[in-house]
Every structure is written in C-alpha cells, then in structure tokens.
C-alpha cells in the first residue's frame, strides 16, 4: 500500500470505528488498495478529518503538532515518519522540489496531504 493510502486508510478506519455505518465493509475490503481505490471506498458523507485526528491525539498521550508537522501526523497515525518515508510520500504526491531540503518538503507535504484528504472524501477545515 502506498504511504498516502496508509494515511487515508488509517484516518477513515478510525472514523468508521468511531461511527459505524453500512460503508465500513467497503472501506475495509480493500486493505492493499492504492489511494484511488481508497477514494472509491470513501463514504458518501465526508469524514471530519480534524475531529478524527483530534480524537486520536487525545487518546495518544504524546504532545504531537499534527496540524503543522507531517512528521507528527505520521507518528499520530502510527506510520513511518523517517526521512526516507517522507521522501517516498513526496514522490507519490508529485513533489518536484529538492527532497534534500527536508524543511521545505515537509511544509509542502503537510499541505498536500490535507488537500489530498479533501479530494478523497475528507472534510478538512480551511484553517487546518
């Protein structure tokens, strides 16, 4: 599964666990699907990404700045936050900048991940 697919799956799975509905089977039936397939399994009503991640952060116990840091977002989701993983994610999402400039890449990544979440059935607040 792609890294973005894992992000999407983790957030949507947590949302389904918090509010079970009839689409839960459709989302969990494609564990190895890439992001486009996950988008097809996205619920008809958008997932409130901010609420899901806030809930996860409250239960996590770590002080993570997931709203502004791609590293902390990945940690919150239990995913690999290493530089290599972030470079791979950048490649998946079409980053054209210098991946050796990790600060610039990280800023681009957090913004792009939010945008892609919105495109794939997530409700992302404008201020997030």
């Amino acid at each position: 599964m792609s890294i973005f697919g894992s992000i999407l799956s983790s957030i949507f799975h947590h949302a389904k666990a918090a509010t079970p509905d009839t689409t839960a089977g459709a989302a969990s039936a494609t564990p190895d699907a890439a992001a486009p397939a996950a988008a097809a399994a996205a619920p008809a009503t958008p997932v409130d990404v901010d609420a899901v991640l806030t809930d996860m952060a409250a239960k996590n116990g770590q002080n993570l700045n997931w709203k502004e840091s791609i590293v902390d977002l990945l940690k919150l989701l239990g995913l690999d936050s290493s530089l290599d993983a972030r470079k791979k994610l950048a490649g998946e999402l079409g980053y054209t900048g210098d991946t050796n400039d990790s600060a610039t890449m990280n800023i681009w990544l957090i913004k792009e991940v939010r945008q892609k979440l919105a495109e794939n059935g997530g409700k992302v607040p404008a201020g997030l």
Side-chain angles (χ1 to χ4, degrees):
M1 179 184 294
S2 69
I3 295 174
F4 180 73
S6 296
I7 292 169
L8 194 64
S9 177
S10 180
I11 292 170
F12 281 44
H13 174 74
H14 186 81
K16 299 259 183 280
T19 56
D21 64 23
T22 58
T23 62
S28 63
T30 57
D32 295 323
T45 56
V47 170
D48 187 339
V49 173
D50 185 46
V52 169
L53 294 174
T54 298
D55 181 59
M56 290 177 78
K59 294 174 182 174
N60 179 282
Q62 295 181 11
N63 187 17
L64 298 173
N65 185 15
W66 59 268
K67 290 184 179 186
E68 297 177 15
S69 167
I70 189 67
V71 172
D72 284 357
L73 175 62
L74 293 169
K75 286 180 181 180
L76 178 63
L77 297 173
L79 302 174
D80 183 1
S81 63
S82 69
L83 180 57
D84 285 340
R86 287 178 279 129
K87 285 181 178 183
K88 183 177 176 186
L89 177 60
E92 287 176 20
L93 299 179
Y95 183 65
T96 58
D98 180 6
T99 57
N100 292 315
D101 180 0
S102 63
T104 300
M105 180 182 70
N106 289 347
I107 292 167
W108 183 88
L109 278 172
I110 193 70
K111 290 177 181 178
E112 190 68 12
V113 164
R114 286 186 223 135
Q115 177 64 37
K116 295 291 184 187
L117 286 170
E119 291 172 6
N120 285 281
K123 183 178 117 189
V124 181
L128 185 61

